[in-house]
Amino acid sequence: MIDNGFPLTTEPNILRQMIASPNIVSKMLSVATGNSSNVSNTLPDATASCVPWRITDLKHTNNEVYVDLVEEMDAIINSDGALVKCEINGEVQVNSHLSGLPDLTLSFANPSILNDVRFHPCVRFRPWESHQILSFVPPDGQFKLMSYRSNVIHLQGQKVEEYSDICKATANLRFWDMPYQCFADLTSNHGAVNILANKTCSWSIGRIPKDKAPSMSGTLALETDLERLNVFPTFQVGFRIMGVALSALQIDKLDLRNLPNRPYKGFRALTQAGEFEVRS
Amino acid sequence: MGLERHCWVQTESPLKYEKKCCPLSPDFGGDFIRPLLNSSSPFIRFTSSKPISSLFTGDRFLSASIEYNDGSSSSISPLSFSFAFSTLRSSVESNDGIWNSRSDPDFDNSHPKPNSTRKGEVSDLKMQLRQLAGSRAPGTDDSKRELFKKVISYMTIGIDVSSVFSEMVMCSATSDIVLKKMCYLYVGNHAKYNPDLALLTINFLQKDCKDEDPMIRGLALRSLCSLRVANLVEYLVGPLGLGLKDGNSYVRTVATVGVLKLYHISSATCVDADFPTMLKHLMLSDPDTQVVANCLSALQEIWSLEASKSEEASREKEALLSKPVVYYFLNRIKEFSEWAQCLVLELVAKYVPSDSNEIFDVMNLLEDRLQHANGAVVLATIKLFLQLTLSMTDVHQQVYERIKAPLLTLVSSGSPEQSYAVLSHLHLLVTRAPMLFSSDYKHFYCQYNEPFYVKKLKLEMLTALASESNTYEIVTELCEYAANVDIPIARESIRAVGKIALQQYDVNAIVDRLLQFLEMEKDYVTAETLVLVKDLLRKYPQWSHDCIAVVGNISSKNVQEPKAKAALIWMLGEYAQDMQDAPYVLESLIDNWEDEYSAEVRLHLLTAVMKCFLRRPPETQKALGDALAAGIADFHQDVHDRALFYYRLLQYNVSVAERVVNPPKQAVSVFADPQNSEIKDRIFDEFNSLSVVYQKPSYMFTDKEHRGPFVFSEELGNLSIGVESASNVVSTQMLEANDNDLLLSTSEKEESRGASSNGSAYNAPSTDGSSNQLLATHSPQPSMAIDDLLGLGLPVAPNPAPSPPPLKLNARAVLDPSTFQQKWRQLPISVSQEYSMNPQGVAALTTPQSLLQHMQGNYIQCIASGGQAPNFKFFFFAQKAEESSTFLVECVINSASCMAQLKIKADDQSTSQAFAALFQSALSTFGMT
């Protein structure tokens, strides 16, 4: 929110308090009162509080906090199947609905694999520096606690099949920058192949079967005077693995203090393909 | 509590949890991820467990919403939902009108065109406003709101609504904050053009400044300061003073910026009212960080503008950079917002710590800023770290190591635009210290999806950091791009391979790769490669056999691009004896002379056929004749001239022609770098600004009036030399130096441009000479022209100016290296000249130390020196005897050519000439004793 050219706040939670997101209640109110402004008339208390990211005096009937590890894997695999570049960008996302002014401590089992980390302003720096512990007073609702980068790949050397039943994949191939004439006949032994109008071939593999390796084959018609294909298309692969963080980052424990009653705690992990490409 | 590596581990209330984490829809993943990525938390409730209908009352609505929700319940997003809802609402409205359709009248017929028919409506508005002005009936505020809204919407689309000014002011007597806000907006917009009417608003604004609601006080004060009417400033002072002392931080925040606005309207009023002092007090004591940050930015602006006017202000400006103030900010930095943090970091970057302990203290304090989520803060911190450690080489290196990770993270997170900006900064660092990054090359591999500008920058970086350890991997990767479907990137990557080959000593493998490119048989690949092979041969003639064998196989018909064609022709001429059919290829090319549209190619063709003729006369004679005939008939002046020149040369003497056209060549050792190091340093000084993204120092892309005082004074300094020099001698000298520079750069350009220079640059000392003469004859004139340009009306033969008082230097000048560095960075060059040393001096200059002692005898101290014969570089400094004015000198001596290049910077520009003379005389006596 910019106040007279000067930024007032960037904290999403506070912004949400200042500007009501278009929801049913506000729509009904605006219809009823004729007031179409979403901006609230009062400044949120938190802008003046010592913990500017947190609304003061929060009360939730259900106290719950969820911690998600979301990782994106950027990788390039060359035509020989060798890994050219691989990197994992991850985020720790927290969704907290906690009353009062809770103090949370999150620790990892193996913080050493993190190459570089960036924190939400709520994270205290000293405990991280000395013990690699995240100590913070969380904002309310969903927020990104920390983002990290890691080069360690848990997957390397292990069997990919291990994940096959929880992994879903798609592969995309763009034809339109190749000297190809609108004729392609592609089939696969698993999943569905679609050739879209923009000359993109999309192959949704879905869950990878255990008994066979999915493959796609077919013919492409090239321009008439070309003897061979001298550009090499790149496949973009998308996948999603539930319950696994490929960097093998593990949350050790989450301690909550300063809370009236015991909250629910939940953790989960997810890995998706970021810029994952396979060269041919 | 131990954790398992499951999707979720729940501790309590498993039932509710079950619902959330195991949706039964087929799109398992989609449903699962959605709440995770969704930014709007209240919404998660609809998508996962609770039915959307539970939020509504009323049966009709319930059924409708469920129907709507059915198909897309898993993928619905807040935005699409609100859209869905609005369509829903409208359909309900149209069906039975349950919902009272009270839509806003002004938005339904919105965006009227600014034309004359609106005039009537404006006067209509005026009438209505006037009726409402005095009314106190209930509901007046609502109708006023509608009218105000209309006025504002007319204003924003450019209709002249200034005629309702007085009515607006009359209507503003209300307690409704929305009305007030709209009224302030209107007044702020129109006051500037109606200064007389603006007076009307002062009264109610002043009254509002004393309102009990801090929001209204703040708003009123802000509007009062935004009137920008010079003769109303007297009314501003009182409210501003009160605002600065207000109990509410919002009002103080507004008031601090208000002071700055007041300063811009009338600086005298602002200073007389002693506001800067109040701001300073506020800055050092206010509990609210936003107030403190605003004070800082206001004070910085005021005092840097004031500094030129008064001594006191410049002292205050310095005081902002004093140790207590800087430490005060550093200790509070964590409380500030991101922008304010950037402001503070910028301030600290200007601060010069007294010793290295202090530097380490500052860096330790700010270490955690590198892990801030905001990229701007990270970059500002990096800039600070780099600048602080400039004088400490080893720590500087450690800083590089430390900042690498945050920068790389910034690159990989965020939009391509952001990663481009960060990559530009990385690029700068990579070019400064390629060794430190040589193990991180994989981060700069291009991804298929990245936009072109990011890829291009990454290619440049890969080129820059190629070293012996990683060349193989980098070149392999670049070769992948050469086969890429993206043609511009393929070209760029081939060029990058070539550049790496020119940097490296071990080019074996790279040459093979380049030659493989030629076999790919794609015309753009072939074209780029030919240009590169040509450059390679110029640097490594020993590779000619391998290259020529492959190049010989290329049919000239497949090469169409002028640059590539020129390169091929150059090789044909240069290696005519190694290529069997060179004369015949040239001959066929000459047959198509008419179709050759590029003059560059025709020029090369002439030279190549000459070279070929000189080596293999019988086979080439016919081709040469055709070429010369065609060339002389050519309409292009250069081609015509060159053909005629060759013709006459051959007529005169063939052996002379041989010496001119085909002399023995030296391999080119280093190709010219288009950017000189001074510019690069300047860009580095402007780290964390657009200069880095543009790869240009700021003075190259900013208008004069927006440049900082620093660059401006440099120009002044240069001008003052021209004016003050007693006899124009110095300015002439400088001009000559400049001209020499120009000459140098053009010949360098030619060198790098391609093969033509290989022909001409080697065999054309005569042209150089002639142009020198040309310049020599012209040189006195430009200096006068410059005098005239200055518009100072100086007589053509200026009177001998009064000679400046003799300059005395302090015998015991003291300056520590970091201060020197700081000054060197800040001060403009006041004198830059070349000076030829006497041979005795050069003879005595076997080690740098000998000169140091000599200069010390003349009260000129050395702070750093280095180099080996024939190139020495010294940094000297000296101080004036009476006052603490310092002179800084960079002196580069080439003992082979007996030339010394001087760059002098001085605290006091006016005495720099005198000091230059002193320095030269000191230098001239070196080696005499």
Side-chain angles (χ1 to χ4, degrees), chain B residues 375-391:
Chain B
V377 175
V378 176
L379 274 178
T381 314
I382 288 174
K383 173 180 181 163
L384 176 65
F385 277 26
L386 287 173
Q387 294 218 330
L388 282 178
T389 57
L390 263 182
S391 53

Side-chain angles (χ1 to χ4, degrees), chain B residues 121-136 140 143-144 147-148 151 162-172 197 200:
Chain B
E121 292 186 22
V122 173
S123 55
D124 243 23
L125 272 177
K126 195 173 172 164
M127 291 288 293
Q128 290 175 10
L129 279 170
R130 184 161 286 176
Q131 279 168 7
L132 281 176
S135 145
R136 293 194 183 275
T140 318
S143 23
K144 271 188 192 171
L147 289 175
F148 274 33
V151 173
S162 54
S163 54
V164 297
F165 197 100
S166 47
E167 282 75 15
M168 287 290 279
V169 174
M170 279 197 273
C171 281
S172 63
L197 285 173
L200 292 173

Side-chain angles (χ1 to χ4, degrees), chain B residues 321-323 326-327 330 347-363 384-385 387-392 816-819 822 825:
Chain B
L321 293 172
S322 67
K323 191 167 169 175
V326 168
Y327 274 47
L330 282 177
L347 176 85
V348 181
K350 288 182 200 142
Y351 169 66
V352 187
S354 58
D355 58 4
S356 55
N357 282 337
E358 212 182 332
I359 293 180
F360 289 127
D361 284 348
V362 172
M363 284 171 62
L384 176 65
F385 277 26
Q387 294 218 330
L388 282 178
T389 57
L390 263 182
S391 53
M392 300 183 279
D816 62 316
S818 59
T819 321
Q822 183 79 10
R825 226 178 313 131

Side-chain angles (χ1 to χ4, degrees), chain A residues 3-4 6-8 10 16 22 24 27-28 31-36 41 43 62 64 66 68 70 74-76 78-79 83-85 87 89 93 95 97 115-121 125-126 128-129 141-142 149 151 154 168 174 177-178 207 228 230-234 236 240 242-243 250-254 262-270 272 275 277 279, chain B residues 1 3 5-13 16-17 20 27-30 32-33 35-41 44 46 56 81-82 85-86 89 99-100 102 104 145 149 177-178 215 222 250 257 261 290 294 297 334 338-339 367-368 371-375 405-406 408-410 412-413 442-443 445-449 477 480-481 483-485 519-522 524:
Chain A
D3 174 32
N4 200 26
F6 281 83
L8 183 65
T10 50
R16 214 167 292 137
I24 300 102
K27 283 274 174 186
M28 285 164 72
V31 170
T33 61
N35 176 8
S36 60
N41 284 346
L43 268 182
N62 297 323
E64 38 191 28
Y66 306 119
D68 304 326
V70 183
D74 292 350
I76 302 175
N78 70 7
S79 49
L83 208 54
V84 176
K85 169 192 168 176
E87 196 176 60
N89 289 305
Q93 294 180 341
N95 194 354
H97 299 282
N115 270 20
D116 185 44
V117 286
R118 292 204 289 154
F119 300 121
H120 189 275
F125 184 64
R126 294 286 164 219
W128 173 261
E129 202 178 40
Q142 178 99 32
R149 195 161 51 81
N151 282 347
H154 170 55
K168 296 175 58 172
R174 274 166 38 183
D177 37 23
M178 283 169 31
R207 211 156 285 186
R228 63 196 167 103
N230 46 16
V231 291
F232 307 110
T234 305
Q236 290 176 280
R240 175 175 292 156
M242 299 303 304
Q250 285 182 38
I251 294 175
D252 186 29
K253 59 178 176 182
L254 176 66
R262 291 195 68 197
Y264 316 124
K265 295 189 268 188
F267 306 90
R268 62 181 170 183
L270 167 83
Q272 335 175 43
E275 298 277 333
E277 54 191 56
R279 292 175 179 157
Chain B
M1 183 196 68
L3 272 182
R5 227 183 47 207
H6 279 310
C7 318
W8 290 85
V9 178
Q10 65 263 40
T11 50
E12 283 156 76
S13 174
K16 179 177 189 296
Y17 222 39
K20 269 205 168 180
D27 190 7
F28 172 74
F32 214 76
I33 188 67
L36 210 65
L37 298 179
N38 230 328
S39 56
S40 160
S41 53
I44 297 166
F46 314 151
F56 299 115
F81 184 76
S82 72
F85 183 73
S86 66
R89 192 192 94 185
W99 299 82
N100 184 9
R102 246 193 73 186
D104 310 329
R145 274 191 190 189
K149 240 193 235 173
I177 194 165
V178 179
M215 277 298 261
R222 191 165 88 185
Y250 175 70
V257 181
K261 285 181 186 163
Q290 195 57 52
N294 282 3
S297 69
K334 289 191 182 105
E338 286 93 339
W339 279 271
E367 164 75 18
D368 60 335
Q371 273 156 346
H372 200 277
N374 186 303
L408 290 172
T409 310
L410 272 180
S412 55
S413 59
K442 280 196 178 171
H443 289 287
Y445 281 4
C446 299
Q447 296 276 3
Y448 181 67
N449 268 352
E477 178 71 11
E480 289 278 350
Y481 305 148
N484 202 307
V485 281
E519 287 158 10
M520 276 172 66
E521 290 182 1
K522 271 193 290 183
Y524 60 89

